[in-house]
Amino acid sequence: QVQLVESGGGLVQPGGSLRLSCAASGTIFRMYDMGWYRQAPGKERELVATITSGGTINYVDSVKGRFTISRDNAKNTVYLQMNSLKSEDTALYYCNALFRVLGKSFASWGQGTQVTVSS
């Protein structure tokens, strides 16, 4: 399984920006579909953004126009650029990797990085 380590979280004021990074181990990173999830206390984990191995990108409606997901396969890293942050973006953000082969899926999760948006 791939090992994932998130970084870049912290405390930011409303309207501010943060860039999250997810560093992955492994030799086939370019074959993984990658995603960012988030979970606030007492709430279910939700999908924020995904980027497939082919470069297809999707976002949850609440972050469209504000967040940007990208990947650098040479560095085995996926990023989440977060702009115009709102208090409702406060959550623990998780990196996810998904590898599909022969009709089966294999998923890995990072430990999470905390994002807090507060004045």
Side-chain angles (χ1 to χ4, degrees), residues 4 24 91 93:
L4 305 174
Y93 283 71

Side-chain angles (χ1 to χ4, degrees), residues 7-48:
S7 62
L11 176 64
V12 65
Q13 295 182 349
S17 298
L18 285 173
R19 189 178 77 160
L20 306 184
S21 298
C22 174
S25 65
T27 60
I28 55 171
F29 176 80
R30 69 184 186 280
M31 299 177 66
Y32 299 143
D33 294 342
M34 303 297 298
W36 286 96
Y37 289 73
R38 66 186 180 186
Q39 187 169 26
K43 298 184 178 180
E44 295 184 355
R45 186 175 300 185
E46 71 168 342
L47 180 62
V48 177

